[in-house]
Amino acid sequence: MLGALRCMTNYKDEHIFGNSAVLMVKNNCHLGIIPIDKKLVFWFLSWPRPYEDFEVSRHPQLLREAALDQIKDFPPEAIELVKNAGLGSIIYTRIKFRAPWDLLLPSFREGTITVAGDAMHVMGPFMGQGGSAAMEDAIVLARCLAQEMRNGNGGGLQLQTSVGMAFDKYVRERRWRILRLSMQTYFRQLLQSTLPLPVKLVIVAISIVLFGRSFNHAQYDCGRL
């Protein structure tokens, strides 16, 4: 399980982060900092052992204290950022890990119901894949529905059968694509952890063999509508 906290900090004067996004990693704790303007900063914090007390997850003050406890060894500017967090903007989420190979097992379809986007493929925010993959889902799903609905002329049961066949075709087409994307972001996440350097070098080698260049995943044509 991971604890993920997202928040906004509004400075009275200009902050020191400029226009650059920053990611700080220490002891498996990730602090991401994204400036919005000269005074407003969005940031997120994730750590591997979330607080299990349900009341902590509901109380902004306790959440901020928990965050400060996690980053006590971070640079002073990071501690100041969290200390001045706007309590009204704090959002806390518990994230459960799902291995990429779990995507091989579920059907993703029951009757005339299917899933797309994050409901189908939750990915880490390491390569900017989530939103793009959801758009691919929409195009493939629309195409599969159009093809099957064009072939079916009836209503009622025949219509349900056509929709089910379209969903099955959509799932088959998307399964291997999202498995590949999920594996790639899984390896990227491992590189940001505190694994020994030799292990990280092995991960880099495997990634190059399986996926080639880092952004090859963006050179994908999901076809026309």
Side-chain angles (χ1 to χ4, degrees):
M1 294 282 287
L2 285 176
L5 191 151
R6 290 164 288 174
C7 191
M8 307 281 279
T9 298
N10 196 5
Y11 288 79
K12 293 182 179 179
D13 300 314
E14 292 186 15
H15 56 73
I16 65 170
F17 301 107
N19 297 321
S20 301
V22 179
L23 178 64
M24 301 180 184
V25 182
K26 192 168 187 179
N27 299 324
N28 282 330
C29 183
H30 293 68
L31 175 63
I33 302 170
I34 305 174
I36 305 300
D37 56 30
K38 293 182 178 180
K39 294 185 177 182
L40 185 63
V41 178
F42 167 80
W43 57 269
F44 65 86
L45 179 69
S46 65
W47 64 92
R49 291 181 294 276
Y51 284 74
E52 297 298 331
D53 185 353
F54 182 66
E55 290 303 319
V56 170
S57 67
R58 298 180 60 182
H59 198 295
Q61 181 70 37
L62 295 179
L63 285 172
R64 186 169 63 182
E65 292 176 5
L68 287 170
D69 183 60
Q70 292 298 320
I71 65 166
K72 57 188 176 183
D73 296 326
F74 277 54
E77 60 269 22
I79 296 176
E80 181 186 10
L81 172 74
V82 176
K83 185 179 296 184
N84 294 326
L87 295 180
S89 66
I90 289 181
I91 299 175
Y92 178 79
T93 307
R94 293 177 182 177
I95 303 174
K96 183 178 180 180
F97 171 73
R98 186 174 76 177
W101 42 88
D102 286 348
L103 296 171
L104 291 171
L105 302 178
S107 66
F108 294 116
R109 196 272 284 190
E110 182 173 347
T112 55
I113 300 174
T114 190
V115 292
D118 282 350
M120 190 180 198
H121 44 73
V122 178
M123 303 179 198
F126 305 107
M127 301 186 71
Q129 298 167 321
S132 300
M135 293 178 66
E136 293 176 11
D137 291 344
I139 292 173
V140 175
L141 179 57
R143 184 175 63 244
C144 292
L145 279 169
Q147 290 172 351
E148 292 299 328
M149 299 300 286
R150 190 184 303 122
N151 296 331
N153 298 317
L157 184 59
Q158 185 175 354
L159 177 60
Q160 293 182 24
T161 301
S162 296
V163 171
M165 292 175 63
F167 287 171
D168 285 339
K169 185 176 181 180
Y170 153 76
V171 169
R172 286 195 301 270
E173 184 171 340
R174 294 302 293 159
R175 188 184 300 277
W176 290 105
R177 167 67 171 163
I178 63 175
L179 175 63
R180 182 181 179 87
L181 289 176
S182 298
M183 287 292 293
Q184 194 170 4
T185 194
Y186 173 70
F187 285 142
R188 179 61 64 89
Q189 182 270 332
L190 290 178
L191 292 177
Q192 296 187 15
S193 65
T194 55
L195 292 172
L197 180 59
V199 177
K200 289 188 176 183
L201 292 176
V202 171
I203 293 172
V204 170
I206 294 174
S207 298
I208 292 174
V209 171
L210 293 179
F211 309 114
R213 294 182 302 171
S214 296
F215 295 102
N216 275 354
H217 64 91
Q219 306 300 317
Y220 178 77
D221 185 359
C222 61
R224 300 174 63 88
L225 282 174

